[in-house]
Amino acid sequence: MTVHLEVLGRVDERAPGAPLPLAAGEVRAGFPSPADDYLEGQLDLVAHLVPHPSSTFYLRAKGESMKELGIFDDDLLIVDRSLEPRQGAVLIASVDGELTCKQLGKLGDRPYLLAANEAYPPIALNGHDCDVWGVVTHSIHALPQGTSRRHAGSAYQGTPS
């Protein structure tokens, strides 16, 4: 097993919020609505994404073992130590001293850490020294500029509306 994560740090509870404009309405994946041309208010992303700042930290994901759950190489993970790990939750765990990001699950009646990529085998929790660091609450990744996932590798040729 190799190290899959890079610890970036904890949430600074003393840092002032940085509210950004929040557009009212919903974004459509089709044509924009002129009725949505107003602001609803302000949004502080830290306040929105981090409900428990004193028990939250950030990690950088490495590798492709969780890609089917939308966690990609170099994603920023927000991890909350105050949450109780539940079946199906994505966890950060130290297994035999090495950090990994996996989904908590069962095979039969035994607990396992499961990858979200069939190329990676499940990790049985029995027989390993395992310490849960926290529950992943969000994965943040940048979208590639000038490309779409539908036509990966080809630059968008349309005109913005």
Side-chain angles (χ1 to χ4, degrees), residues 40-129:
E40 180 178 310
Q42 300 283 313
L43 173 66
D44 181 339
L45 283 176
V46 173
H48 179 72
L49 298 175
V50 182
H52 308 112
S54 63
S55 61
T56 300
F57 62 96
Y58 305 110
L59 291 170
R60 182 77 59 193
K62 298 292 175 194
E64 297 185 353
S65 70
M66 298 301 289
K67 69 180 186 177
E68 296 301 321
L69 283 178
I71 299 174
F72 303 101
D73 187 51
D74 214 33
D75 277 4
L76 176 66
L77 304 178
I78 300 176
V79 183
D80 191 335
R81 290 183 62 98
S82 72
L83 299 178
E84 187 68 30
R86 298 190 192 293
Q87 186 84 350
V90 175
L91 307 178
I92 302 301
S94 173
V95 179
D96 296 332
E98 296 187 44
L99 286 180
T100 190
C101 176
K102 298 288 183 279
Q103 187 174 32
L104 181 61
K106 284 187 176 185
L107 294 176
D109 62 346
R110 303 178 98 167
Y112 278 81
L113 293 178
L114 306 171
N117 179 338
E118 63 185 31
Y120 295 84
I123 301 168
L125 295 182
N126 296 339
H128 290 282
D129 180 24

Side-chain angles (χ1 to χ4, degrees), residues 144-157:
Q145 297 301 306
T147 63
S148 69
R149 290 198 186 271
R150 189 169 171 183
H151 303 289
S154 65
Y156 175 73
Q157 300 297 316

Side-chain angles (χ1 to χ4, degrees), residues 22-45:
L22 174 62
E26 300 170 342
V27 65
R28 290 166 180 75
F31 296 101
S33 168
D36 289 339
D37 286 342
Y38 59 91
L39 294 180
E40 180 178 310
Q42 300 283 313
L43 173 66
D44 181 339
L45 283 176

